[in-house]
Amino acid sequence: MAGPSDNGGWSSDGSSPEDLPDFPEEWGVIVIPDDLSELSDEVEAVRAELREAKTQSHFADHPLLRALRKIANGAVRAPVLIISMAVLVTVASLFASAWPGPARQPATQRTASTTTTRPTALPALELVNADGQAVSLRQELPAVILLIDGCDCAALVADTIDAVRPEIAVITVSGMFTASAGTIPPTGATPQAQGKAVRVLHDPSGNVREQLKLAAPDGTAAALLVSRGGEIIRTDARTASVETFRPDLARL
């Protein structure tokens, strides 16, 4: 019997030396033929598997497939990018809305120096009628009040009388006339025109313009539209035509 040195460390009966592990049991019995040509079938099977693997590798590297893979990757990345941008914009908007900015002054403060705040209700003032008697300005409402100091407003008064409904009074307010004997009211008491009430009142002290925050006379009239409850519907500080306030007559 040959020793281990004669057959490469294997014993003559085919058993493995003690220092080498045995083959796994699942491999079964391994027989090495004396003629290697008997393994040609196994060799061809291995070569066929290698050729198939190589063909699949070449097919995977085809330019069309690479382009399809790029398109697929882009199709996946685009929605992710869009969603990410939407999330970033939303977060930025939330931070911008929550971040304290410089204090803004109210618009009323910016315009307080240039805007005159006029009363919304007609003051309870006493004027003088054509007979020299004291009369409340709110005695007959609803009304169109025309302040005609220094104004050649005969046409405006006549047009206003024609434009109002019978239940709406037309009140003209002017200063006192000066005569040699002193200050006296003019002639012409309360005229009636087409069944409409027209009152002629005088304001010698100018209280009406002062209370209503109206400027001094400038050759035009000032018009006020006052409802039955004394609410000032409209104020025209300067007007020479009934057309400026005609649309609001229906509100009286």
Side-chain angles (χ1 to χ4, degrees):
M1 178 182 296
S5 58
D6 298 334
N7 56 7
W10 292 88
S11 61
S12 60
D13 57 359
S15 61
S16 62
E18 297 180 355
D19 57 344
L20 293 177
D22 294 333
F23 292 114
E25 295 181 358
E26 59 268 17
W27 285 14
V29 179
I30 299 176
V31 179
I32 300 176
D34 295 332
D35 187 1
L36 294 179
S37 62
E38 297 179 4
L39 298 176
S40 60
D41 294 339
E42 286 80 358
V43 172
E44 288 298 327
V46 171
R47 288 178 178 176
E49 291 180 0
L50 292 177
R51 285 195 299 270
E52 183 178 359
K54 186 175 181 181
T55 302
Q56 292 177 354
S57 175
H58 281 262
F59 182 74
D61 291 336
H62 194 278
L64 179 58
L65 289 180
R66 290 199 298 269
L68 290 176
R69 284 199 298 271
K70 290 182 180 180
I71 294 174
N73 293 335
V76 173
R77 292 192 189 100
V80 173
L81 180 61
I82 293 174
I83 294 173
S84 301
M85 292 298 295
V87 171
L88 290 176
V89 171
T90 303
V91 172
S93 300
L94 291 176
F95 273 105
S97 60
W99 194 267
R104 297 182 180 179
Q105 294 184 351
T108 54
Q109 294 183 4
R110 295 195 299 268
T111 59
S113 60
T114 58
T115 301
T116 301
T117 303
R118 297 190 176 94
T120 58
L122 184 67
L125 298 174
E126 286 193 350
L127 304 183
V128 179
N129 65 10
D131 297 329
Q133 298 176 348
V135 178
S136 173
L137 183 60
R138 303 182 62 170
Q139 181 176 346
E140 193 168 353
L141 298 176
V144 177
I145 301 176
L146 299 175
L147 281 64
I148 57 174
D149 281 336
C151 170
D152 184 9
C153 296
L156 172 62
V157 174
D159 292 341
T160 303
I161 295 171
D162 291 338
V164 299
R165 303 189 304 275
E167 66 271 18
I168 300 174
V170 177
I171 303 173
T172 63
V173 178
S174 62
M176 300 290 283
F177 285 91
T178 302
S180 57
T183 302
I184 58 173
T187 59
T190 306
Q192 300 292 322
Q194 302 175 358
K196 300 174 183 179
V198 181
R199 298 172 59 195
V200 178
L201 301 180
H202 306 282
D203 180 24
S205 60
N207 285 335
V208 176
R209 285 186 178 271
E210 181 180 355
Q211 293 292 327
L212 297 175
K213 309 297 183 183
L214 296 173
D218 62 352
T220 61
L224 292 89
L225 277 61
V226 186
S227 68
R228 189 177 302 277
E231 179 186 2
I232 299 177
I233 303 298
R234 177 182 179 125
T235 300
D236 284 331
R238 295 179 175 83
T239 182
S241 171
V242 69
E243 300 302 329
T244 59
F245 54 83
R246 184 190 292 274
D248 289 318
L249 292 176
R251 301 171 58 191
L252 297 178

